[in-house]
Amino acid sequence: MDNNLDSLKIGDKYFDSRLMLGTGKYKTREAAINSITKSECNIVTVAIRRLPTNLDNDSNSFLNSLDWNKLWLLPNTAGSQTAEEAIRMAFLGHELACQIGQEDNFFVKLEVISDPKYLLPDPVGTLKAAEFLVKKGFTVLPYINADPMLALHLEDLGCATVMPLGSPIGSGQGLNNLSNIKIIIENASVPVIIDAGIGTPSEAAMAMELGADGVLMNTAVAQSRDPEKMAYAMNLAVKSGRLAYSAGRMDKKLYASPSSPISQISKL
């Protein structure tokens, strides 16, 4: 995790990879660990509710199987239906970060979801929790609907990123909110991380080509037939999409344009 020219900067931390990976839904712990390795991600997000409160008493814990000298823990507040629950989970997340040796880790992926059917984030609860946690010194990465005005409000509160969904969690529907995502990217002064809904590497590449700063995913890798292979494919897709965005695509034209114009041929 170096401070190079194209590092992803979140808060005061720099990350080489723009792909973030979740840890749920894998068939085995080994599949999760190997997928994280193949993805070459730096940031791993873990639901606080699924973890033991004391890792020292659980040597078989999934977290104890990862190399935290190479990875950065992003605790998430998944399962929180209110701002108050999410705030409590954020503090527990910091305690767990301390147990793996990341005492300076106050990162939190903020999820407030009161809707059990569609799992859409609660904008009011998210704003409330974000304001409190930012004031307490947390580096807040809020998961939101692709709402450009909400993204600006969260940025104004001091959130380190905004994380609009591409489509509902675990749906694999892809980028269904393209127009709003484009507006968010155009207006944001903090990194925009596309979170939820991506199902294929081509969709991850598309998100990066739009100018997103990163992509977070879980189900697309964990529920694929070969998670390790899919993790590697997503790694390449995110890198490719970022490189394409940096290169700048050609302008679209109304009519065809020959690849070898006559004027060029005559000079040969």
Side-chain angles (χ1 to χ4, degrees), residues 13-261:
K13 294 287 183 181
Y14 291 86
F15 303 96
D16 297 328
S17 175
R18 293 173 179 271
L19 172 62
M20 307 176 188
L21 217 56
T23 55
K25 298 185 178 180
Y26 287 91
K27 293 181 177 67
T28 66
R29 183 174 66 173
E30 289 69 27
I33 294 169
N34 293 337
S35 296
I36 289 169
T37 301
K38 287 289 188 180
S39 75
E40 297 183 347
C41 67
N42 297 144
I43 297 176
V44 173
T45 184
V46 179
I48 303 307
R49 288 180 181 273
R50 294 207 314 265
L51 296 175
T53 56
N54 192 333
L55 296 179
D56 293 335
N57 295 333
D58 187 0
S59 60
N60 294 319
S61 169
F62 172 74
L63 286 191
N64 286 329
S65 303
L66 298 175
D67 184 353
W68 294 109
N69 292 315
K70 297 179 180 179
L71 298 170
W72 189 251
L73 178 65
L74 175 57
N76 73 62
T77 65
S80 299
Q81 296 186 336
T82 66
E84 290 74 19
E85 285 184 78
I87 290 167
R88 177 173 169 271
M89 288 296 110
F91 279 92
L92 289 175
H94 173 62
E95 291 179 15
L96 285 168
C98 290
Q99 291 183 43
I100 61 171
Q102 296 182 358
E103 290 81 3
D104 61 336
N105 186 346
F106 284 87
F107 275 46
V108 60
K109 183 192 173 194
L110 178 59
E111 297 185 29
V112 182
I113 300 176
S114 55
D115 163 33
K117 183 176 182 180
Y118 299 104
L119 300 179
L120 297 174
D122 176 355
V124 177
T126 301
L127 276 169
K128 183 179 177 181
E131 182 174 17
F132 182 90
L133 290 170
V134 167
K135 289 179 179 177
K136 291 296 182 180
F138 280 84
T139 301
V140 180
L141 292 74
Y143 169 61
I144 61 171
N145 285 300
D147 182 336
M149 294 311 300
L150 176 60
L152 288 176
H153 285 312
L154 288 163
E155 182 179 331
D156 289 342
L157 287 178
C159 289
T161 70
V162 288
M163 304 182 76
L165 56 81
S167 52
I169 293 174
S171 69
Q173 294 177 18
L175 302 175
N176 286 352
N177 303 300
L178 273 179
S179 58
N180 278 12
I181 288 172
K182 288 179 181 178
I183 294 171
I184 292 172
I185 291 171
E186 181 181 343
N187 289 285
S189 299
V190 296
V192 177
I193 311 297
I194 307 304
D195 179 12
I198 285 178
T200 65
S202 61
E203 292 162 357
M206 180 187 297
M208 298 304 295
E209 288 174 13
L210 290 175
D213 296 279
V215 170
L216 189 152
M217 65 182 67
N218 184 181
T219 309
V221 173
Q223 294 292 291
S224 64
R225 287 194 297 272
D226 189 332
E228 294 176 43
K229 190 177 290 186
M230 184 61 76
Y232 184 54
M234 291 296 186
N235 173 17
L236 297 178
V238 169
K239 289 178 178 176
S240 175
R242 176 64 180 180
L243 195 59
Y245 173 74
S246 300
R249 66 156 291 150
M250 63 169 285
D251 294 331
K252 291 183 179 180
K253 299 175 182 178
L254 184 60
Y255 302 106
S257 176
S259 298
S260 302

